[in-house]
């Protein structure tokens, strides 16, 4: 198998268990364009009492399974029950979430170029959306 990476986990909450499925077409576009490779996908549901359960693709309703299954690579199963349990602690009661494990395919050529030139990644720091919004608001206020 070819080398994987860079790999990320994305954990997205849908308050009120109002998951509409709109992420399927967006994920399909990212996969088909070669931007990402979806390695695994697990849904999580948390009830009013705070009990959470992971839902694998094969356990989804056939319509939902049909929308997501073709997008996930053969490596599915890398998100463990322990991962789901740990991540679900952050969920509010009566909410659902998606746990996505994906490869940033767009970055592989750059990764290889860095390695081939003797470089190494020292840090990768995601910037939360709230921080970006604050920076932009401060910039706009200063203008």
């Amino acid at each position: 198998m070819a080398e994987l990476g860079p790999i990320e986990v994305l954990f997205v909450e849908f308050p009120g268990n109002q998951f509409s499925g709109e992420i399927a077409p967006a994920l399909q576009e990212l996969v088909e364009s070669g931007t990402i490779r979806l390695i695994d996908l697990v849904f999580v549901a948390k009830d009013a009492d705070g009990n959470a359960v992971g839902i694998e693709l094969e356990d989804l309703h056939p319509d939902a399974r049909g929308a997501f299954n073709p997008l996930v690579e053969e490596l599915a199963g890398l998100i463990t029950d322990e991962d789901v349990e740990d991540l679900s602690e952050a969920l509010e009661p009566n909410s659902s979430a998606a746990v996505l494990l994906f490869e940033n395919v767009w970055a592989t050529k750059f990764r290889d170029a860095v390695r081939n030139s003797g470089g190494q990644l020292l840090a990768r720091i995601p910037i939360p959306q709230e921080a970006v919004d604050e920076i932009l608001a401060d910039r706009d206020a200063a203008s």
Side-chain angles (χ1 to χ4, degrees):
M1 172 192 293
E3 180 178 8
L4 291 176
I7 302 289
E8 287 191 48
V9 171
L10 191 65
F11 186 54
V12 183
E13 181 178 26
F14 301 92
N17 283 313
Q18 297 300 315
F19 179 72
S20 67
E22 288 184 46
I23 68 169
L27 281 173
Q28 181 176 3
E29 184 178 320
L30 291 168
V31 169
E32 288 178 355
S33 70
T35 303
I36 68 168
R37 181 165 67 128
L38 193 56
I39 298 170
D40 201 358
L41 172 64
V42 174
F43 294 96
V44 182
K46 194 170 198 178
D47 65 19
D49 296 325
N51 301 307
V53 62
I55 305 164
E56 299 284 343
L57 287 176
E58 60 268 8
D59 298 326
L60 289 176
H61 184 276
D63 292 339
R65 185 174 53 243
F68 290 104
N69 221 20
L71 304 178
V72 179
E73 287 288 326
E74 72 281 353
L75 298 175
L78 296 178
I79 299 171
T80 67
D81 290 341
E82 184 176 313
D83 296 329
V84 169
E85 184 177 321
D86 290 345
L87 290 168
S88 68
E89 290 179 19
L91 288 177
E92 293 293 324
N94 281 325
S95 62
S96 55
V99 184
L100 299 91
L101 179 66
F102 63 93
E103 176 183 24
N104 285 304
V105 176
W106 63 268
T108 57
K109 286 184 181 180
F110 180 72
R111 173 206 62 205
D112 294 344
V114 168
R115 283 186 185 163
N116 292 340
S117 65
Q120 65 180 347
L121 178 66
L122 295 179
R124 189 175 156 278
I125 305 168
I127 309 297
Q129 186 61 49
E130 295 81 16
V132 172
D133 293 344
E134 186 176 320
I135 291 166
L136 294 175
D138 290 348
R139 182 200 65 186
D140 292 344
S143 298

